[in-house]
Each structure stands twice: as C-alpha cells, then as structure tokens.
Amino acid sequence: MTPSRLPRILALLAAAVGAVLFGSAPATAADAASTNVNDFDFSSWDSTFEISLDDEGRAKMHVEETRVAEFPDFDQNRGIVAGYPTSFEGASIDTRILSVRDENGDDVPYETDDDDGFLYVLTGNDDYVHGPTTYVIEYEMRDVILAATESGLDEFYWNLLPLDSTQDIASFHAEIRFDDQLAEHLTGSASSCYQGEQDSTATCDITIDGATFSVAARDVPAGEGLTVAIGLDSGTVTQPSARQPNAATDVLPYAVGGGALLLSLGGWFATRSMIRSRRRGTGIIVAQYDVPGSMPPLLASAIVPKAKDALSAQIIHLAVQGLLRVEELPEEGQKKRRPRLRRLEAPIPDPLDERSLKALFGSTELGVVMKMPKNSSSFAARIQKLLAAAPKEADKRGFTTKARSTLARIIQALALVVFAGMVLLLGWGMFTGRASAGPVFFVTLLCGIAVLISSVVAFKKHTVLTREGALQLEYLEGVREFIRVAEADRLQMLQSYTGAERRSDGSIDVIHVYEKLLPYAILFGQEREWGKVLEVAYGAAQQDPEWVNGSHYGLVTRMLIFSSVTQTSSTYTAPSSGSSSAGGSMGGGFSGGGGGGGFSGGR
C-alpha cells in the first residue's frame, strides 16, 4: 500500500464502520450520493516558505500554509489530512509540525502519524465540520537545498503542491523568501517554474522581487502540481553527511559484491572441474567398433556427457538387435506414414532392454504392433519413467555415484562471508539514509541471487562417474572415435589382427558392425554422418536394413523423422483445466521532480 492511499482508506473504513455502528443515513438524495471524505475542494491555498541557514551552514525552512476547505453542509468530514515527506534525496529533512490554527489564530486539534517516509497531520476530532473551514499549518524542515546539480548550482527544487492530491484548488499562491545570507548567493535568472501532472515539463510564471519568488495559479485540478527550481551559487549550502560522498557505503559495496561474485564463479569452476576429473579413467582412448550387450544406449546416456536423443537411440538399438522392427507403411485409406513398432522374438541382451520393450508396448507379448502415438499421456508417462530409470541403473551398476567438491565448498563459504559483508554495508547505508542505498540494494539483490545459485551448485552432491564408469566412458569415446574417422581407417581397423579375430571384412559383416553402432551415433549426435555411411554400405551390398520396413526415404531422412516422432510421443503433456532530482533551475526540469509535495485529503 502506498503512503498516499493509507489516510483515505482509513477514512473510508472509519465512515463505513460508523454507518454500521450508529445507523447513520444521509438526510437527502444529494447527501446519499456523497460517500467519500475526499469529496470537497479548496477555495484557496496560500503558502509562505522562509529559507535560511543555521549555524552549521545547512538550509532550514519555515513554512506556513493557509488552506480554506469547502466542506459540504451534511456530515461527511471531520477535518483534512495533510502529508509531508520526512526525507529528500537520501537525507532526513527533520520535518516537524509546529501548530495548526484557524483563521482567528485559535488552535485546531490535530494528531500526527509517521508512516513510510511521510508525516501525516490529521486535523479535527469527532465533530463534523461544514462549509468554508480554514486551516493554518505551520511546520519546519531542514536540508531542503541540494548541492550543485547538473546546472552547476546549488538548488532549491521544491514541489509546492502535492501531486497526490484529491482536491481541486480554485486559487493558489506561494512566496519563497530567502534570508539576507542566502540572498547574496541567488543567481537571479536561474529560476524556473513547472506546472502539471507528474513529469510534466509545462512551464509557469515565477515573479522575482529581490530575494522573494512568487508563484500563482488558478483552478488547479486534483493531481496537478507546481514545482519551483531556484539556483544559488555552488557551495552556498552545507550538505548533511547522508548526501556527502562516503566510499564505505557508496563504492565499497560494489567492490565487495564483485569479490563475492568472483569467489562464487571460482566455486562453480571448482565443482565443474571435479565433475570433469571424475570422467578420466586411463586417459587413453582407443577406437572401438563394438559395444557390449551390457551397455545399451539408454544406460550409456547416463554416462556420456550431453548425450542426445536417448529414446530414439534405444529403439533403434532394439531394432538392430532383432527385438522389434520399425514399420512405416501407410494405413489403409491414409497417405501419411506414422512409424509403427512390431515386437519380434530374439534374445534380450540386457534387463534394461527388456524394460524398454515393456515401456514401449505395455506388455511382453510377441507380435504386438504399436503405432507411435501423438497425444497419449499413459505412453508418455511410461517413457518418462523409463528415461528416469537410466541414471538409477547407472548408479546401481556402480558406474556413477554422488560427490561434492571440497575445494568448491571452501571457496563458496568464503563467497558467502564476503556477501554478508556486502549486506552489512547495505544496511549501514540504509540506516544512515544514504542516497546510494537504492542502487546498492538492487545490485545486492542481483549479487545475492548469483551467490545463492552458486552455493546450491557448490554444496549439493553431484552425480559423477566412478572409476568403472570412467573406463566405460572411455570405451564409448572410442566408439565415437571409430564413427568419426574416415572409411579407409575404419576398414583398416576391422582388418587388423585383433579385428580379424572378431569380425571378417566382408561387406555384409561390415554392415552388421556399422548398424549396431547407429544407436550410439544417435547418442553422440552423429546420426547424419553415420546414416550416410550406412546408406553407402547398404547400396554396395544391394540390400535394405532388416530392422525397418516400408520407407521410401533414405536412412538419414528416416532417422531424423523417427527421432522427431519419438520426441513428440514421449513428451506429451495432458492439457490443464484450469523520482530523481537532476536540477531544473536552468530548464530541463519537470513537475514533481523536487522535494516537498506530500499528500492532501480529507478525514
């Protein structure tokens, strides 16, 4: 809730409670139409601002406001509410209410309420007031003149009227008087007046008579203000400590925050370095053209960093193992082809392969045909559960474990200590009312978010490879190397002494070797290159893959289409139901840009 709304809301609540408790009702239709204590205007508003210097050379201001409120004749208002700021440009201005009187000089009862940077004056008591009613409010402030601004001058930049006002003003007049000591430093021509809503640059007339500046306006609508900017020689006024440079609150927090960020970055790098170091087994990668049956692509995806489409890789793996066939024949009466999977009988190399078949087909029955669904929440749930099983299986088989980086935790602990220092400096700046506290708060918030994220990374346990897992990763990297090298190099590897023991070099045997590596090429993001290699091999052997049927596309296009379909099928989700003072005395200012202003309303 904004300060300006608090008094009017309290007044409305009070009126509503009073109506309920006392059963009061408007006496006339016109009375009934008026239910808001702010429904009145001011026939006149006259202010006198007297500005001088105290013994310390700091500005002090004595103000006397005479407001004539035109209340309705029925029981609506008990007085007015006037709000005054208690700080200006990062420094307290020591706002003090001296008295509230009527037109005869008699005291008017009032009470004050200090809330969120404003001092509210609530006039009157439980008695209703009617018709023209005069209020003379006398108050004092200090440090109302700013040090040299962009204009190069000290400046009295002040809002003579509250922009957050709910009353029209028929006639307004204000005089700003500087004492003899300040009059010597007035620049004369460096003065401006602005009128209008917040940020309006429309100018108004200001009359100068020696050290007295006058502003007048008629028919000022609610929410429209008048702002004056009057220049004085630079260095005329001593500023409060809150506005004077202080490296401890204005500069040091940024340096400390930067240190916290650098340490957090170091903690993050230490964590990443620990994770990467656990991927090293022997440090030697040898090209491999076979993958053991105990390492299906789904399990390999939990070991290979940034593995690609694990589901497509696993399905193609099941296909080349003879456990299913991918069919792309169009259904009767339809032109579009959507892949179907047919369950075949063959030895199952690994328990994770058996689990994959159950997730795909929903049963263990042979000969079942399943069309890849578009929008099946049950299928997507089964697949997501299958994919989530891969890292658990890797941990169960001893390939991965959980670990923290000791170095990262030490560095991040230091980052937290340094950030705490930044928070303390911010608190100091806010407590002393520094103007820099606002920007420092924003930077501290951003820094805090970064430090928090880095702390989570540094202190939590991460999934890392065990010694055995690192060896398995190096083996898979060898497979990646075999897929990467030129065809001549691959054939040479297959015809080597150790290769000849395992495979002959016939073209059919080469195809068998190559197609069994296709699922892992998908994991590595090499399906395009490896698909082209297989297309050439199949063409040379004048045969098509046994594990796919009915497609008129080349193998590369076929794999890309199939990958897109499997990703769509496995990720289906069911639809749900459900203001700054830059100076204005030399022009370029605006209404509402200075201090003062406040709030005006009824009670």
Side-chain angles (χ1 to χ4, degrees):
M1 182 184 301
T2 61
S4 61
R5 292 185 176 181
L6 179 62
R8 71 183 78 171
I9 291 176
L10 292 176
L12 288 172
L13 289 175
V17 172
V20 172
L21 293 179
F22 302 108
S24 59
T28 67
D31 297 348
S34 180
T35 59
N36 192 333
V37 293
N38 292 316
D39 286 343
F40 69 94
D41 296 321
F42 290 107
S43 57
S44 65
W45 183 317
D46 298 283
S47 302
T48 301
F49 299 82
E50 296 178 342
I51 306 172
S52 59
L53 296 178
D54 63 12
D55 295 338
E56 300 177 16
R58 294 165 62 179
K60 61 180 182 180
M61 181 171 70
H62 178 273
V63 184
E64 187 174 282
E65 287 181 357
T66 302
R67 311 184 188 184
V68 180
E70 300 291 339
F71 294 122
D73 293 334
F74 53 87
D75 291 348
Q76 173 183 280
N77 295 92
R78 294 177 174 84
I80 66 171
V81 177
Y84 302 98
T86 56
S87 64
F88 178 39
E89 286 297 311
S92 170
I93 53 177
D94 193 22
T95 303
R96 291 183 297 164
I97 305 301
L98 302 180
S99 67
V100 179
R101 306 184 304 275
D102 61 17
E103 68 275 19
N104 299 317
D106 297 329
D107 290 337
V108 173
Y110 72 94
E111 58 186 39
T112 61
D113 181 23
D114 194 343
D115 180 67
D116 196 20
F118 281 81
L119 180 62
Y120 294 98
V121 180
L122 294 81
T123 68
N125 46 33
D126 292 335
D127 298 330
Y128 286 101
V129 288
H130 309 98
T133 306
T134 300
Y135 297 94
V136 181
I137 305 176
E138 190 177 2
Y139 61 91
E140 289 183 343
M141 295 177 175
R142 68 182 309 183
D143 298 320
V144 295
I145 296 179
L146 297 177
T149 60
E150 292 179 0
S151 65
L153 303 174
D154 285 5
E155 196 168 58
F156 177 68
Y157 195 8
W158 207 252
N159 301 316
L160 305 180
L161 285 175
L163 278 87
D164 199 358
S165 172
T166 55
Q167 290 76 44
D168 297 339
I169 302 172
S171 175
F172 173 77
H173 179 265
E175 286 189 355
I176 303 98
R177 303 169 183 167
F178 294 88
D179 72 353
D180 294 340
Q181 191 174 2
L182 286 174
E184 299 176 357
H185 298 281
L186 290 170
T187 58
S189 59
S191 59
S192 301
C193 176
Y194 307 95
Q195 182 176 353
E197 297 180 350
Q198 179 72 46
D199 299 335
S200 171
T201 57
T203 60
C204 49
D205 295 332
I206 182 169
T207 303
I208 305 174
D209 183 9
T212 301
F213 297 75
S214 301
V215 175
R218 298 192 64 82
D219 300 324
V220 181
E224 187 171 292
L226 277 90
T227 301
V228 294
I230 301 172
L232 299 94
D233 294 332
S234 177
T236 299
V237 180
T238 301
Q239 296 297 312
S241 59
R243 291 191 196 139
Q244 295 177 1
N246 186 336
T249 58
D250 302 344
V251 179
L252 189 57
Y254 298 107
V256 174
L261 288 177
L262 287 176
L263 286 169
S264 294
L265 188 62
W268 185 86
F269 273 116
T271 299
R272 303 311 302 172
S273 177
M274 180 272 295
I275 295 173
R276 287 194 299 269
S277 68
R278 298 295 292 266
R279 297 173 185 164
R280 184 181 179 88
T282 62
I284 302 173
I285 296 177
V286 179
Q288 306 288 345
Y289 52 83
D290 196 9
V291 181
S294 60
M295 183 55 68
L298 195 60
L299 179 61
S301 69
I303 300 175
V304 176
K306 299 180 180 180
K308 305 299 181 183
D309 189 3
L311 179 59
S312 295
Q314 182 66 19
I315 295 176
I316 299 301
H317 164 74
L318 296 175
V320 299
Q321 293 292 332
L323 293 165
L324 60 83
R325 182 167 62 242
V326 180
E327 298 180 348
E328 296 180 297
L329 293 172
E331 296 182 9
E332 184 176 355
Q334 296 185 5
K335 293 183 179 181
K336 291 187 177 180
R337 301 166 180 257
R338 188 166 184 82
R340 292 176 296 181
L341 306 180
R342 182 181 297 275
R343 177 72 167 89
L344 304 177
E345 183 177 6
I348 299 177
D350 189 87
L352 202 54
D353 292 330
E354 183 176 13
R355 184 168 182 175
S356 300
L357 290 169
K358 290 180 180 179
L360 288 170
F361 292 95
S363 70
T364 59
E365 184 180 353
L366 296 175
V368 175
V369 177
M370 185 273 291
K371 183 170 68 174
M372 296 294 289
K374 287 184 178 180
N375 301 319
S376 172
S377 58
S378 60
F379 178 79
R382 294 201 308 269
I383 294 303
Q384 293 301 321
K385 187 175 180 180
L386 174 66
L387 295 175
K392 296 178 182 178
E393 192 66 23
D395 179 74
K396 180 180 177 181
R397 300 190 189 187
F399 296 152
T400 62
T401 187
K402 296 285 187 178
R404 297 187 184 95
S405 168
T406 301
L407 178 60
R409 283 183 288 168
I410 294 174
I411 295 175
Q412 196 60 39
L414 291 175
L416 289 171
V417 171
V418 174
F419 178 71
M422 184 182 189
V423 173
L424 290 175
L425 291 172
L426 170 64
W428 182 16
M430 296 179 68
F431 179 77
T432 55
R434 301 291 303 176
S436 60
V440 170
F441 175 81
F442 179 73
V443 173
T444 301
L445 180 62
L446 296 180
C447 184
I449 294 173
V451 171
L452 176 62
I453 294 174
S454 182
S455 297
V456 171
V457 172
F459 289 113
K460 82 166 190 175
K461 286 186 175 182
H462 295 269
T463 300
V464 296
L465 296 181
T466 61
R467 170 70 177 177
E468 180 60 26
L471 293 175
Q472 292 292 334
L473 175 60
E474 287 184 347
Y475 188 97
L476 291 169
E477 290 292 344
V479 174
R480 187 202 298 263
E481 179 66 14
F482 181 80
I483 294 173
R484 185 192 65 81
V485 299
E487 177 68 12
D489 295 329
R490 284 195 292 267
L491 292 175
Q492 185 177 3
M493 294 176 194
L494 292 175
Q495 293 167 353
S496 67
Y497 173 74
T498 56
E501 287 183 335
R502 301 168 64 182
R503 299 284 183 187
S504 67
D505 60 351
S507 60
I508 302 299
D509 294 315
V510 169
I511 289 176
H512 289 322
V513 172
Y514 284 6
E515 68 181 7
K516 286 190 176 182
L517 296 186
L518 178 59
Y520 302 91
I522 295 173
L523 279 184
F524 301 138
Q526 297 171 307
E527 65 271 19
R528 287 178 181 269
E529 298 85 345
W530 200 239
K532 291 178 181 178
V533 169
L534 277 174
E535 284 182 345
V536 173
Y538 285 127
Q542 296 184 348
Q543 73 171 53
D544 292 324
E546 296 179 357
W547 44 271
V548 65
N549 181 33
S551 177
H552 62 286
Y553 299 112
L555 187 61
V556 175
T557 304
R558 186 185 302 156
M559 289 301 99
L560 295 177
I561 294 174
F562 182 74
S563 176
S564 175
V565 171
T566 54
Q567 289 184 42
T568 302
S569 302
S570 63
T571 58
Y572 171 71
T573 301
S576 62
S577 58
S579 126
S580 169
S581 176
S585 59
M586 297 295 288
F590 52 88
S591 177
F599 169 80
S600 174
R603 68 177 299 227

